[in-house]
Amino acid sequence: LDVIADSYQTQGIIDEEFLEIAREELKRLNETVDKMLVYGRNINLEPKSGNFENFLNNIKKSLSHETVNFIIEDKTKNQTYNMDWDKLRHIFINIITNAKHVLMSEKIEKPKIDITLHVDKTNLYLYIKDNAKGIKVTPIEKIFEPYFTTKEDSGGTGIGLYMSKLIIEKSMGGILKAENKKDGAMFTIRLKKV
């Protein structure tokens, strides 16, 4: 950074204030990378017995003040599962927060997020779908890459979806994917029934 900065400073392209901001951002990114690498290697799950009714009630409480309409459909029949509910909650909140950001930035007139859960003989399926016109990234899988963000203006780091995918796929043995539907994006989490 200093070599590039010296070159641009001599040409009068950037000033010292801008350089200081860039150094602080670089320091923040390095700290984030360090935390991510340590966390990524040491994701310890703390499975507990629970059900999605309680899980969804906690999610609803944290979203009760929102201007987005949340529609929740739980088809898991109040069955009990053994999983790390705290990590799953963080993943849900991360996806929902991203959806809310897009809903607001796109100025969607009637913003909504649908959360649907269902189960078959071997898997749990959790769907989070919004009506924010879809993900405008090609290929769509790029959103799961570290440091990819569409929220530079609001301090997005591009770590949230990357870590969510890492936890779901590497630690929980599931799958996290995103796709565009008719009027928005849908995230699917598939987990083995435990």
Side-chain angles (χ1 to χ4, degrees):
L1 179 65
D2 288 330
V3 172
I4 296 169
D6 288 343
S7 172
Y8 282 108
Q9 256 184 322
T10 7
Q11 296 174 32
I13 296 173
I14 59 174
D15 61 12
E16 192 59 40
E17 181 182 355
F18 174 82
L19 203 56
E20 190 55 38
I21 292 169
R23 282 188 182 108
E24 285 300 313
E25 272 302 301
L26 189 57
K27 181 180 173 187
R28 186 176 69 81
L29 277 173
N30 281 333
E31 289 169 357
T32 302
V33 169
D34 290 344
K35 287 177 186 174
M36 182 186 72
L37 291 173
V38 169
Y39 185 68
R41 283 188 222 119
N42 301 312
I43 299 173
N44 296 317
L45 296 179
E46 297 174 17
K48 297 174 194 154
S49 182
N51 63 51
F52 280 101
E53 182 178 6
N54 292 335
F55 174 77
L56 292 171
N57 284 336
N58 287 333
I59 297 280
K60 276 191 235 180
K61 284 178 193 171
S62 65
L63 302 170
S64 61
H65 62 284
E66 299 296 336
T67 56
V68 175
N69 184 25
F70 289 91
I71 300 165
I72 298 176
E73 185 178 1
D74 181 4
K75 299 177 183 177
T76 61
K77 301 178 181 106
N78 209 21
Q79 296 175 9
T80 301
Y81 301 98
N82 198 29
M83 64 178 62
D84 191 325
W85 295 97
D86 290 334
K87 286 191 180 56
L88 189 61
R89 181 181 179 280
H90 288 297
I91 291 165
F92 256 67
I93 296 297
N94 181 53
I95 294 170
I96 289 167
T97 301
N98 287 345
K100 287 187 321 189
H101 180 267
V102 177
L103 287 163
M104 297 304 117
S105 66
E106 291 287 331
K107 297 179 173 70
I108 302 299
E109 191 174 315
K110 294 180 180 177
K112 72 174 182 163
I113 297 174
D114 297 329
I115 300 172
T116 307
L117 297 92
H118 81 88
V119 62
D120 65 19
K121 291 180 182 178
T122 56
N123 296 302
L124 292 162
Y125 298 90
L126 305 99
Y127 304 99
I128 303 170
K129 184 181 176 304
D130 63 48
N131 65 335
K133 302 180 184 175
I135 299 168
K136 296 164 180 67
V137 175
T138 306
I140 202 167
E141 295 79 22
K142 189 174 180 100
I143 64 171
F144 296 110
E145 293 177 5
Y147 307 115
F148 179 82
T149 184
T150 58
K151 299 185 288 188
E152 295 92 356
D153 58 330
S154 61
T157 62
I159 300 299
L161 287 175
Y162 169 75
M163 290 304 295
S164 295
K165 189 167 182 74
L166 186 72
I167 292 167
I168 291 292
E169 297 189 355
K170 301 290 185 204
S171 297
M172 295 180 157
I175 292 174
L176 171 59
K177 68 176 189 168
E179 60 189 305
N180 285 322
K181 293 294 188 180
K182 181 181 174 189
D183 61 347
M186 182 171 80
F187 285 81
T188 301
I189 299 171
R190 186 184 81 200
L191 297 169
K192 293 283 183 201
K193 279 173 52 175
V194 195

